[in-house]
Amino acid sequence: MRIVFLLHNAYGIGGTIRTVCTLAGALAAEHDVEVASVFRSREVPAFGYDPRVRLRPLADLRPQNPARLRDDPRAARPAAVFPRGDRTYAEYSALTDDLIGGYLAGLDADVVVGTRPGLNVHIARQAPRRLVRVAQEHLTLDTHSTRLTLALRRRYAALDAVTTTTQADAAVYRRRMPGIRAVGIPNGVPPAGEAVSDGSARVVVAAGRLAEAKRYDDLVRAFATVAAARPDWTLRLYGKGDRHAALAALIAELGLGGHVRLMGTAAPIEPELAKGSILAVTSSMESFGMTIVEGMRAGLPVVATDCPLGPREIVRDGVTGLLVPPRDVPAIAAALLELIGDQDRRRAMGRAALAEAAAYDPALVAERHVRLFAELLAARRRPAARARAAARATATRTAGAVPAVLDAAGAAGRAAAGKARRRAAAR
């Protein structure tokens, strides 16, 4: 099948971009895959796409671009299709409305997949109905503003499915948007190769954005207790973000300069994770937990807060790691000390984590997407399904009509569906 992903900026850096890059590469082993990037900001993508994946930028923002799309008068007018509630709304315009709409209208594909709320709305409104249209949720429904959620509720009814990174978020979608088909499919994470920990290093590692939701302040405070009991152990914290200065000040205030190090960013991260013996994740909120899987693929047991929504679906408490209550600094410290003090258990958990993380192999995750796409395509081809789709289209076009007109459209749709079923039975 031919599969197209619509991405904000395939050339940048970010979790969604990396996830789509990985999935597209895995799918390209057996399918025709294209990644349409609304924006192009650099010559070469930050992530290495599989050469079988086509990249198609819609708006080239590089300074050397002779067309200079910023000079198009439509770029000064606000977007009307892209929803205002999406946090990247300011980057979109009447120009991007037209570029995305024109691209989708001429798309020759089986499946088109959006990768952020605003682009999912574009697909719902502008992609031809002959295509299977799927929305990916890379955050969680509950993290979106009320304004955005209302827009999604109104538009997502036109989509064939929504995929979330956790089963828990899929359940939230089904509860808050009745009638929406929501399916939980985790992100794929490549194997770490030779970068696997043997559990002997006296190092705890953590990695991610230095943002408030990651609660690295809780981890640093917990490590003050760890360092007092086990001064031979250190904490390495990888990442960058707006909490860097505050964390540096906290480390100095607690006198942990010799025990906690802010390492900055590292790419690839897996070799750095493998230099540790325990992965610590102390978030108050996770949409999935990519770092957890990356650590497990490097053979690390995980000490993680049991926060919404991802860790519990990844970490088996007592087998591949330990789950503790969010924002509970003493519990975080106690779990770290428990694994630090028992090398045999630490290594056994690391081996179990490495084995269970194989379930997140990109090829296996890609198979789950393919099964969903194939099911949706098959449903589209059934006569009754085509009749229902025609009825929905009629209802959408007449959404502003009086109830009697809507009733007539519904009756016509039901009659068409009945005829289609009788024809199918006769065959």
PDB file of all heavy atoms in Angstrom, residues 47-84:
ATOM      1  N   PHE A  47      17.469  13.916  11.385  1.00  0.00           N
ATOM      2  CA  PHE A  47      17.445  12.463  11.522  1.00  0.00           C
ATOM      3  C   PHE A  47      17.659  11.817  10.154  1.00  0.00           C
ATOM      4  O   PHE A  47      17.257  12.370   9.128  1.00  0.00           O
ATOM      5  CB  PHE A  47      16.117  11.986  12.115  1.00  0.00           C
ATOM      6  CG  PHE A  47      15.864  12.487  13.512  1.00  0.00           C
ATOM      7  CD1 PHE A  47      14.804  13.346  13.770  1.00  0.00           C
ATOM      8  CD2 PHE A  47      16.681  12.119  14.562  1.00  0.00           C
ATOM      9  CE1 PHE A  47      14.558  13.813  15.054  1.00  0.00           C
ATOM     10  CE2 PHE A  47      16.451  12.581  15.850  1.00  0.00           C
ATOM     11  CZ  PHE A  47      15.392  13.423  16.096  1.00  0.00           C
ATOM     12  N   GLY A  48      18.278  10.650  10.151  1.00  0.00           N
ATOM     13  CA  GLY A  48      18.566   9.957   8.905  1.00  0.00           C
ATOM     14  C   GLY A  48      17.391   9.112   8.452  1.00  0.00           C
ATOM     15  O   GLY A  48      17.121   8.050   9.022  1.00  0.00           O
ATOM     16  N   TYR A  49      16.665   9.567   7.444  1.00  0.00           N
ATOM     17  CA  TYR A  49      15.530   8.810   6.909  1.00  0.00           C
ATOM     18  C   TYR A  49      16.020   7.669   6.029  1.00  0.00           C
ATOM     19  O   TYR A  49      17.045   7.782   5.340  1.00  0.00           O
ATOM     20  CB  TYR A  49      14.598   9.725   6.101  1.00  0.00           C
ATOM     21  CG  TYR A  49      13.800  10.666   6.944  1.00  0.00           C
ATOM     22  CD1 TYR A  49      14.351  11.857   7.414  1.00  0.00           C
ATOM     23  CD2 TYR A  49      12.484  10.379   7.292  1.00  0.00           C
ATOM     24  CE1 TYR A  49      13.616  12.730   8.204  1.00  0.00           C
ATOM     25  CE2 TYR A  49      11.737  11.254   8.073  1.00  0.00           C
ATOM     26  CZ  TYR A  49      12.315  12.418   8.529  1.00  0.00           C
ATOM     27  OH  TYR A  49      11.592  13.280   9.310  1.00  0.00           O
ATOM     28  N   ASP A  50      15.290   6.573   6.070  1.00  0.00           N
ATOM     29  CA  ASP A  50      15.568   5.463   5.185  1.00  0.00           C
ATOM     30  C   ASP A  50      15.535   5.990   3.737  1.00  0.00           C
ATOM     31  O   ASP A  50      14.625   6.739   3.368  1.00  0.00           O
ATOM     32  CB  ASP A  50      14.493   4.375   5.375  1.00  0.00           C
ATOM     33  CG  ASP A  50      14.791   3.103   4.608  1.00  0.00           C
ATOM     34  OD1 ASP A  50      14.820   3.154   3.362  1.00  0.00           O
ATOM     35  OD2 ASP A  50      14.962   2.059   5.260  1.00  0.00           O
ATOM     36  N   PRO A  51      16.517   5.620   2.914  1.00  0.00           N
ATOM     37  CA  PRO A  51      16.541   6.152   1.533  1.00  0.00           C
ATOM     38  C   PRO A  51      15.326   5.771   0.708  1.00  0.00           C
ATOM     39  O   PRO A  51      15.044   6.396  -0.317  1.00  0.00           O
ATOM     40  CB  PRO A  51      17.833   5.543   0.950  1.00  0.00           C
ATOM     41  CG  PRO A  51      18.187   4.401   1.848  1.00  0.00           C
ATOM     42  CD  PRO A  51      17.677   4.774   3.202  1.00  0.00           C
ATOM     43  N   ARG A  52      14.567   4.754   1.155  1.00  0.00           N
ATOM     44  CA  ARG A  52      13.361   4.368   0.426  1.00  0.00           C
ATOM     45  C   ARG A  52      12.182   5.278   0.742  1.00  0.00           C
ATOM     46  O   ARG A  52      11.137   5.203   0.084  1.00  0.00           O
ATOM     47  CB  ARG A  52      13.003   2.923   0.750  1.00  0.00           C
ATOM     48  CG  ARG A  52      14.033   1.907   0.267  1.00  0.00           C
ATOM     49  CD  ARG A  52      13.778   0.534   0.841  1.00  0.00           C
ATOM     50  NE  ARG A  52      13.984   0.515   2.298  1.00  0.00           N
ATOM     51  CZ  ARG A  52      13.974  -0.599   3.037  1.00  0.00           C
ATOM     52  NH1 ARG A  52      13.770  -1.769   2.457  1.00  0.00           N
ATOM     53  NH2 ARG A  52      14.168  -0.526   4.338  1.00  0.00           N
ATOM     54  N   VAL A  53      12.323   6.140   1.738  1.00  0.00           N
ATOM     55  CA  VAL A  53      11.256   7.069   2.127  1.00  0.00           C
ATOM     56  C   VAL A  53      11.436   8.379   1.363  1.00  0.00           C
ATOM     57  O   VAL A  53      12.505   8.997   1.415  1.00  0.00           O
ATOM     58  CB  VAL A  53      11.279   7.327   3.641  1.00  0.00           C
ATOM     59  CG1 VAL A  53      10.245   8.392   4.024  1.00  0.00           C
ATOM     60  CG2 VAL A  53      11.028   6.038   4.412  1.00  0.00           C
ATOM     61  N   ARG A  54      10.409   8.806   0.659  1.00  0.00           N
ATOM     62  CA  ARG A  54      10.471  10.084  -0.058  1.00  0.00           C
ATOM     63  C   ARG A  54      10.119  11.228   0.886  1.00  0.00           C
ATOM     64  O   ARG A  54       9.132  11.151   1.615  1.00  0.00           O
ATOM     65  CB  ARG A  54       9.496  10.106  -1.245  1.00  0.00           C
ATOM     66  CG  ARG A  54       9.865   9.160  -2.378  1.00  0.00           C
ATOM     67  CD  ARG A  54       8.934   9.380  -3.567  1.00  0.00           C
ATOM     68  NE  ARG A  54       7.530   9.260  -3.176  1.00  0.00           N
ATOM     69  CZ  ARG A  54       6.908   8.102  -3.036  1.00  0.00           C
ATOM     70  NH1 ARG A  54       7.551   6.954  -3.227  1.00  0.00           N
ATOM     71  NH2 ARG A  54       5.627   8.068  -2.697  1.00  0.00           N
ATOM     72  N   LEU A  55      10.898  12.293   0.839  1.00  0.00           N
ATOM     73  CA  LEU A  55      10.594  13.510   1.584  1.00  0.00           C
ATOM     74  C   LEU A  55      10.077  14.557   0.608  1.00  0.00           C
ATOM     75  O   LEU A  55      10.715  14.819  -0.410  1.00  0.00           O
ATOM     76  CB  LEU A  55      11.839  14.044   2.297  1.00  0.00           C
ATOM     77  CG  LEU A  55      12.278  13.343   3.579  1.00  0.00           C
ATOM     78  CD1 LEU A  55      13.511  14.028   4.156  1.00  0.00           C
ATOM     79  CD2 LEU A  55      11.162  13.340   4.599  1.00  0.00           C
ATOM     80  N   ARG A  56       8.919  15.150   0.936  1.00  0.00           N
ATOM     81  CA  ARG A  56       8.339  16.155   0.042  1.00  0.00           C
ATOM     82  C   ARG A  56       8.001  17.406   0.850  1.00  0.00           C
ATOM     83  O   ARG A  56       6.962  17.455   1.524  1.00  0.00           O
ATOM     84  CB  ARG A  56       7.084  15.616  -0.644  1.00  0.00           C
ATOM     85  CG  ARG A  56       6.496  16.578  -1.685  1.00  0.00           C
ATOM     86  CD  ARG A  56       5.195  16.031  -2.239  1.00  0.00           C
ATOM     87  NE  ARG A  56       5.383  14.768  -2.935  1.00  0.00           N
ATOM     88  CZ  ARG A  56       5.709  14.666  -4.217  1.00  0.00           C
ATOM     89  NH1 ARG A  56       5.904  15.747  -4.943  1.00  0.00           N
ATOM     90  NH2 ARG A  56       5.838  13.477  -4.778  1.00  0.00           N
ATOM     91  N   PRO A  57       8.850  18.429   0.826  1.00  0.00           N
ATOM     92  CA  PRO A  57       8.532  19.674   1.538  1.00  0.00           C
ATOM     93  C   PRO A  57       7.493  20.493   0.781  1.00  0.00           C
ATOM     94  O   PRO A  57       7.489  20.529  -0.459  1.00  0.00           O
ATOM     95  CB  PRO A  57       9.880  20.400   1.590  1.00  0.00           C
ATOM     96  CG  PRO A  57      10.639  19.875   0.412  1.00  0.00           C
ATOM     97  CD  PRO A  57      10.180  18.458   0.202  1.00  0.00           C
ATOM     98  N   LEU A  58       6.608  21.135   1.529  1.00  0.00           N
ATOM     99  CA  LEU A  58       5.577  21.974   0.913  1.00  0.00           C
ATOM    100  C   LEU A  58       5.952  23.453   0.950  1.00  0.00           C
ATOM    101  O   LEU A  58       5.628  24.186   0.022  1.00  0.00           O
ATOM    102  CB  LEU A  58       4.237  21.754   1.633  1.00  0.00           C
ATOM    103  CG  LEU A  58       3.730  20.311   1.708  1.00  0.00           C
ATOM    104  CD1 LEU A  58       2.346  20.282   2.354  1.00  0.00           C
ATOM    105  CD2 LEU A  58       3.715  19.650   0.345  1.00  0.00           C
ATOM    106  N   ALA A  59       6.586  23.891   2.018  1.00  0.00           N
ATOM    107  CA  ALA A  59       6.996  25.297   2.154  1.00  0.00           C
ATOM    108  C   ALA A  59       8.466  25.325   2.526  1.00  0.00           C
ATOM    109  O   ALA A  59       8.839  24.977   3.655  1.00  0.00           O
ATOM    110  CB  ALA A  59       6.160  26.000   3.221  1.00  0.00           C
ATOM    111  N   ASP A  60       9.309  25.721   1.578  1.00  0.00           N
ATOM    112  CA  ASP A  60      10.755  25.748   1.791  1.00  0.00           C
ATOM    113  C   ASP A  60      11.145  27.089   2.397  1.00  0.00           C
ATOM    114  O   ASP A  60      11.073  28.137   1.741  1.00  0.00           O
ATOM    115  CB  ASP A  60      11.466  25.529   0.452  1.00  0.00           C
ATOM    116  CG  ASP A  60      12.947  25.235   0.628  1.00  0.00           C
ATOM    117  OD1 ASP A  60      13.496  25.583   1.699  1.00  0.00           O
ATOM    118  OD2 ASP A  60      13.553  24.656  -0.292  1.00  0.00           O
ATOM    119  N   LEU A  61      11.560  27.079   3.652  1.00  0.00           N
ATOM    120  CA  LEU A  61      11.889  28.309   4.367  1.00  0.00           C
ATOM    121  C   LEU A  61      13.387  28.593   4.412  1.00  0.00           C
ATOM    122  O   LEU A  61      13.827  29.522   5.094  1.00  0.00           O
ATOM    123  CB  LEU A  61      11.354  28.230   5.805  1.00  0.00           C
ATOM    124  CG  LEU A  61       9.841  28.017   5.946  1.00  0.00           C
ATOM    125  CD1 LEU A  61       9.456  27.992   7.411  1.00  0.00           C
ATOM    126  CD2 LEU A  61       9.061  29.095   5.211  1.00  0.00           C
ATOM    127  N   ARG A  62      14.192  27.840   3.703  1.00  0.00           N
ATOM    128  CA  ARG A  62      15.631  28.085   3.712  1.00  0.00           C
ATOM    129  C   ARG A  62      15.942  29.449   3.088  1.00  0.00           C
ATOM    130  O   ARG A  62      15.288  29.856   2.122  1.00  0.00           O
ATOM    131  CB  ARG A  62      16.361  26.986   2.940  1.00  0.00           C
ATOM    132  CG  ARG A  62      16.307  25.609   3.612  1.00  0.00           C
ATOM    133  CD  ARG A  62      16.940  24.555   2.719  1.00  0.00           C
ATOM    134  NE  ARG A  62      16.190  24.393   1.484  1.00  0.00           N
ATOM    135  CZ  ARG A  62      16.644  23.712   0.431  1.00  0.00           C
ATOM    136  NH1 ARG A  62      17.838  23.144   0.480  1.00  0.00           N
ATOM    137  NH2 ARG A  62      15.898  23.600  -0.651  1.00  0.00           N
ATOM    138  N   PRO A  63      16.927  30.162   3.632  1.00  0.00           N
ATOM    139  CA  PRO A  63      17.242  31.508   3.122  1.00  0.00           C
ATOM    140  C   PRO A  63      17.571  31.526   1.638  1.00  0.00           C
ATOM    141  O   PRO A  63      17.275  32.508   0.945  1.00  0.00           O
ATOM    142  CB  PRO A  63      18.457  31.926   3.965  1.00  0.00           C
ATOM    143  CG  PRO A  63      18.341  31.125   5.213  1.00  0.00           C
ATOM    144  CD  PRO A  63      17.743  29.809   4.803  1.00  0.00           C
ATOM    145  N   GLN A  64      18.188  30.449   1.138  1.00  0.00           N
ATOM    146  CA  GLN A  64      18.581  30.429  -0.268  1.00  0.00           C
ATOM    147  C   GLN A  64      17.444  30.104  -1.213  1.00  0.00           C
ATOM    148  O   GLN A  64      17.617  30.110  -2.431  1.00  0.00           O
ATOM    149  CB  GLN A  64      19.722  29.419  -0.489  1.00  0.00           C
ATOM    150  CG  GLN A  64      19.337  27.953  -0.305  1.00  0.00           C
ATOM    151  CD  GLN A  64      19.514  27.458   1.110  1.00  0.00           C
ATOM    152  OE1 GLN A  64      19.372  28.221   2.057  1.00  0.00           O
ATOM    153  NE2 GLN A  64      19.847  26.180   1.255  1.00  0.00           N
ATOM    154  N   ASN A  65      16.262  29.811  -0.663  1.00  0.00           N
ATOM    155  CA  ASN A  65      15.132  29.460  -1.505  1.00  0.00           C
ATOM    156  C   ASN A  65      14.721  30.665  -2.351  1.00  0.00           C
ATOM    157  O   ASN A  65      14.264  31.681  -1.819  1.00  0.00           O
ATOM    158  CB  ASN A  65      13.956  28.999  -0.641  1.00  0.00           C
ATOM    159  CG  ASN A  65      12.709  28.704  -1.470  1.00  0.00           C
ATOM    160  OD1 ASN A  65      12.815  28.449  -2.663  1.00  0.00           O
ATOM    161  ND2 ASN A  65      11.560  28.767  -0.833  1.00  0.00           N
ATOM    162  N   PRO A  66      14.844  30.585  -3.671  1.00  0.00           N
ATOM    163  CA  PRO A  66      14.536  31.753  -4.514  1.00  0.00           C
ATOM    164  C   PRO A  66      13.065  32.151  -4.487  1.00  0.00           C
ATOM    165  O   PRO A  66      12.720  33.297  -4.718  1.00  0.00           O
ATOM    166  CB  PRO A  66      14.962  31.292  -5.918  1.00  0.00           C
ATOM    167  CG  PRO A  66      14.909  29.789  -5.860  1.00  0.00           C
ATOM    168  CD  PRO A  66      15.303  29.429  -4.456  1.00  0.00           C
ATOM    169  N   ALA A  67      12.191  31.200  -4.185  1.00  0.00           N
ATOM    170  CA  ALA A  67      10.762  31.520  -4.190  1.00  0.00           C
ATOM    171  C   ALA A  67      10.379  32.389  -3.005  1.00  0.00           C
ATOM    172  O   ALA A  67       9.403  33.138  -3.060  1.00  0.00           O
ATOM    173  CB  ALA A  67       9.943  30.229  -4.171  1.00  0.00           C
ATOM    174  N   ARG A  68      11.153  32.309  -1.903  1.00  0.00           N
ATOM    175  CA  ARG A  68      10.904  33.093  -0.705  1.00  0.00           C
ATOM    176  C   ARG A  68       9.420  33.154  -0.362  1.00  0.00           C
ATOM    177  O   ARG A  68       8.744  34.160  -0.531  1.00  0.00           O
ATOM    178  CB  ARG A  68      11.458  34.508  -0.833  1.00  0.00           C
ATOM    179  CG  ARG A  68      12.973  34.594  -0.843  1.00  0.00           C
ATOM    180  CD  ARG A  68      13.621  33.717   0.229  1.00  0.00           C
ATOM    181  NE  ARG A  68      13.091  33.990   1.541  1.00  0.00           N
ATOM    182  CZ  ARG A  68      13.735  34.712   2.459  1.00  0.00           C
ATOM    183  NH1 ARG A  68      14.916  35.188   2.199  1.00  0.00           N
ATOM    184  NH2 ARG A  68      13.198  34.912   3.638  1.00  0.00           N
ATOM    185  N   LEU A  69       8.916  32.020   0.136  1.00  0.00           N
ATOM    186  CA  LEU A  69       7.495  31.905   0.439  1.00  0.00           C
ATOM    187  C   LEU A  69       7.024  32.945   1.447  1.00  0.00           C
ATOM    188  O   LEU A  69       5.844  33.285   1.491  1.00  0.00           O
ATOM    189  CB  LEU A  69       7.197  30.490   0.945  1.00  0.00           C
ATOM    190  CG  LEU A  69       7.335  29.386  -0.116  1.00  0.00           C
ATOM    191  CD1 LEU A  69       7.270  28.021   0.520  1.00  0.00           C
ATOM    192  CD2 LEU A  69       6.256  29.533  -1.163  1.00  0.00           C
ATOM    193  N   ARG A  70       7.939  33.443   2.253  1.00  0.00           N
ATOM    194  CA  ARG A  70       7.544  34.467   3.232  1.00  0.00           C
ATOM    195  C   ARG A  70       7.044  35.746   2.544  1.00  0.00           C
ATOM    196  O   ARG A  70       6.346  36.551   3.139  1.00  0.00           O
ATOM    197  CB  ARG A  70       8.716  34.808   4.141  1.00  0.00           C
ATOM    198  CG  ARG A  70       9.143  33.677   5.080  1.00  0.00           C
ATOM    199  CD  ARG A  70      10.192  34.163   6.076  1.00  0.00           C
ATOM    200  NE  ARG A  70      10.672  33.121   6.943  1.00  0.00           N
ATOM    201  CZ  ARG A  70      11.721  32.343   6.691  1.00  0.00           C
ATOM    202  NH1 ARG A  70      12.390  32.514   5.547  1.00  0.00           N
ATOM    203  NH2 ARG A  70      12.099  31.410   7.523  1.00  0.00           N
ATOM    204  N   ASP A  71       7.421  35.928   1.288  1.00  0.00           N
ATOM    205  CA  ASP A  71       6.998  37.131   0.564  1.00  0.00           C
ATOM    206  C   ASP A  71       5.625  36.974  -0.072  1.00  0.00           C
ATOM    207  O   ASP A  71       5.069  37.943  -0.595  1.00  0.00           O
ATOM    208  CB  ASP A  71       8.030  37.466  -0.533  1.00  0.00           C
ATOM    209  CG  ASP A  71       9.400  37.779   0.043  1.00  0.00           C
ATOM    210  OD1 ASP A  71       9.447  38.259   1.201  1.00  0.00           O
ATOM    211  OD2 ASP A  71      10.411  37.534  -0.633  1.00  0.00           O
ATOM    212  N   ASP A  72       5.063  35.784  -0.038  1.00  0.00           N
ATOM    213  CA  ASP A  72       3.721  35.561  -0.589  1.00  0.00           C
ATOM    214  C   ASP A  72       2.710  36.273   0.312  1.00  0.00           C
ATOM    215  O   ASP A  72       2.731  36.108   1.532  1.00  0.00           O
ATOM    216  CB  ASP A  72       3.433  34.051  -0.607  1.00  0.00           C
ATOM    217  CG  ASP A  72       2.161  33.717  -1.377  1.00  0.00           C
ATOM    218  OD1 ASP A  72       1.088  34.232  -0.994  1.00  0.00           O
ATOM    219  OD2 ASP A  72       2.233  32.926  -2.319  1.00  0.00           O
ATOM    220  N   PRO A  73       1.832  37.100  -0.250  1.00  0.00           N
ATOM    221  CA  PRO A  73       0.878  37.852   0.578  1.00  0.00           C
ATOM    222  C   PRO A  73      -0.015  36.965   1.433  1.00  0.00           C
ATOM    223  O   PRO A  73      -0.483  37.386   2.494  1.00  0.00           O
ATOM    224  CB  PRO A  73       0.066  38.661  -0.440  1.00  0.00           C
ATOM    225  CG  PRO A  73       0.297  37.990  -1.759  1.00  0.00           C
ATOM    226  CD  PRO A  73       1.667  37.421  -1.684  1.00  0.00           C
ATOM    227  N   ARG A  74      -0.248  35.743   1.004  1.00  0.00           N
ATOM    228  CA  ARG A  74      -1.072  34.842   1.806  1.00  0.00           C
ATOM    229  C   ARG A  74      -0.404  34.478   3.129  1.00  0.00           C
ATOM    230  O   ARG A  74      -1.085  34.107   4.096  1.00  0.00           O
ATOM    231  CB  ARG A  74      -1.376  33.572   1.011  1.00  0.00           C
ATOM    232  CG  ARG A  74      -2.295  33.766  -0.176  1.00  0.00           C
ATOM    233  CD  ARG A  74      -2.402  32.487  -0.996  1.00  0.00           C
ATOM    234  NE  ARG A  74      -1.112  32.134  -1.608  1.00  0.00           N
ATOM    235  CZ  ARG A  74      -0.880  31.011  -2.268  1.00  0.00           C
ATOM    236  NH1 ARG A  74      -1.860  30.111  -2.400  1.00  0.00           N
ATOM    237  NH2 ARG A  74       0.304  30.768  -2.793  1.00  0.00           N
ATOM    238  N   ALA A  75       0.913  34.581   3.180  1.00  0.00           N
ATOM    239  CA  ALA A  75       1.634  34.246   4.410  1.00  0.00           C
ATOM    240  C   ALA A  75       1.327  35.231   5.537  1.00  0.00           C
ATOM    241  O   ALA A  75       1.550  34.922   6.717  1.00  0.00           O
ATOM    242  CB  ALA A  75       3.133  34.208   4.141  1.00  0.00           C
ATOM    243  N   ALA A  76       0.816  36.417   5.181  1.00  0.00           N
ATOM    244  CA  ALA A  76       0.495  37.430   6.190  1.00  0.00           C
ATOM    245  C   ALA A  76      -0.928  37.285   6.720  1.00  0.00           C
ATOM    246  O   ALA A  76      -1.302  37.963   7.682  1.00  0.00           O
ATOM    247  CB  ALA A  76       0.693  38.825   5.607  1.00  0.00           C
ATOM    248  N   ARG A  77      -1.712  36.416   6.100  1.00  0.00           N
ATOM    249  CA  ARG A  77      -3.089  36.240   6.544  1.00  0.00           C
ATOM    250  C   ARG A  77      -3.197  35.009   7.442  1.00  0.00           C
ATOM    251  O   ARG A  77      -2.525  34.002   7.202  1.00  0.00           O
ATOM    252  CB  ARG A  77      -4.029  36.103   5.337  1.00  0.00           C
ATOM    253  CG  ARG A  77      -4.016  37.329   4.423  1.00  0.00           C
ATOM    254  CD  ARG A  77      -5.272  37.383   3.556  1.00  0.00           C
ATOM    255  NE  ARG A  77      -5.421  36.211   2.714  1.00  0.00           N
ATOM    256  CZ  ARG A  77      -4.941  36.092   1.487  1.00  0.00           C
ATOM    257  NH1 ARG A  77      -4.247  37.090   0.950  1.00  0.00           N
ATOM    258  NH2 ARG A  77      -5.129  34.993   0.784  1.00  0.00           N
ATOM    259  N   PRO A  78      -4.016  35.049   8.468  1.00  0.00           N
ATOM    260  CA  PRO A  78      -4.092  33.928   9.403  1.00  0.00           C
ATOM    261  C   PRO A  78      -4.685  32.681   8.759  1.00  0.00           C
ATOM    262  O   PRO A  78      -5.483  32.756   7.819  1.00  0.00           O
ATOM    263  CB  PRO A  78      -4.998  34.457  10.517  1.00  0.00           C
ATOM    264  CG  PRO A  78      -5.814  35.527   9.879  1.00  0.00           C
ATOM    265  CD  PRO A  78      -4.913  36.166   8.863  1.00  0.00           C
ATOM    266  N   ALA A  79      -4.288  31.538   9.295  1.00  0.00           N
ATOM    267  CA  ALA A  79      -4.822  30.265   8.819  1.00  0.00           C
ATOM    268  C   ALA A  79      -6.296  30.151   9.180  1.00  0.00           C
ATOM    269  O   ALA A  79      -6.716  30.565  10.264  1.00  0.00           O
ATOM    270  CB  ALA A  79      -4.043  29.107   9.428  1.00  0.00           C
ATOM    271  N   ALA A  80      -7.076  29.568   8.289  1.00  0.00           N
ATOM    272  CA  ALA A  80      -8.501  29.350   8.542  1.00  0.00           C
ATOM    273  C   ALA A  80      -8.814  27.872   8.747  1.00  0.00           C
ATOM    274  O   ALA A  80      -9.831  27.535   9.352  1.00  0.00           O
ATOM    275  CB  ALA A  80      -9.328  29.895   7.378  1.00  0.00           C
ATOM    276  N   VAL A  81      -7.950  26.982   8.256  1.00  0.00           N
ATOM    277  CA  VAL A  81      -8.166  25.544   8.410  1.00  0.00           C
ATOM    278  C   VAL A  81      -7.428  25.033   9.637  1.00  0.00           C
ATOM    279  O   VAL A  81      -7.997  24.334  10.472  1.00  0.00           O
ATOM    280  CB  VAL A  81      -7.716  24.776   7.146  1.00  0.00           C
ATOM    281  CG1 VAL A  81      -7.902  23.276   7.337  1.00  0.00           C
ATOM    282  CG2 VAL A  81      -8.487  25.266   5.929  1.00  0.00           C
ATOM    283  N   PHE A  82      -6.163  25.357   9.754  1.00  0.00           N
ATOM    284  CA  PHE A  82      -5.363  24.937  10.903  1.00  0.00           C
ATOM    285  C   PHE A  82      -5.961  25.550  12.169  1.00  0.00           C
ATOM    286  O   PHE A  82      -6.155  26.763  12.251  1.00  0.00           O
ATOM    287  CB  PHE A  82      -3.922  25.400  10.724  1.00  0.00           C
ATOM    288  CG  PHE A  82      -2.926  24.727  11.630  1.00  0.00           C
ATOM    289  CD1 PHE A  82      -2.324  23.543  11.240  1.00  0.00           C
ATOM    290  CD2 PHE A  82      -2.605  25.273  12.853  1.00  0.00           C
ATOM    291  CE1 PHE A  82      -1.396  22.914  12.062  1.00  0.00           C
ATOM    292  CE2 PHE A  82      -1.690  24.651  13.687  1.00  0.00           C
ATOM    293  CZ  PHE A  82      -1.073  23.470  13.299  1.00  0.00           C
ATOM    294  N   PRO A  83      -6.294  24.758  13.184  1.00  0.00           N
ATOM    295  CA  PRO A  83      -7.021  25.287  14.352  1.00  0.00           C
ATOM    296  C   PRO A  83      -6.165  26.174  15.251  1.00  0.00           C
ATOM    297  O   PRO A  83      -4.986  25.908  15.475  1.00  0.00           O
ATOM    298  CB  PRO A  83      -7.441  24.009  15.098  1.00  0.00           C
ATOM    299  CG  PRO A  83      -6.428  22.994  14.703  1.00  0.00           C
ATOM    300  CD  PRO A  83      -6.061  23.307  13.272  1.00  0.00           C
ATOM    301  N   ARG A  84      -6.783  27.215  15.773  1.00  0.00           N
ATOM    302  CA  ARG A  84      -6.078  28.164  16.633  1.00  0.00           C
ATOM    303  C   ARG A  84      -5.581  27.526  17.933  1.00  0.00           C
ATOM    304  O   ARG A  84      -4.623  27.999  18.527  1.00  0.00           O
ATOM    305  CB  ARG A  84      -6.984  29.350  16.965  1.00  0.00           C
ATOM    306  CG  ARG A  84      -7.244  30.274  15.787  1.00  0.00           C
ATOM    307  CD  ARG A  84      -8.100  31.460  16.178  1.00  0.00           C
ATOM    308  NE  ARG A  84      -8.290  32.380  15.057  1.00  0.00           N
ATOM    309  CZ  ARG A  84      -7.461  33.377  14.770  1.00  0.00           C
ATOM    310  NH1 ARG A  84      -6.396  33.585  15.533  1.00  0.00           N
ATOM    311  NH2 ARG A  84      -7.689  34.166  13.741  1.00  0.00           N
TER     312      ARG A  84
END
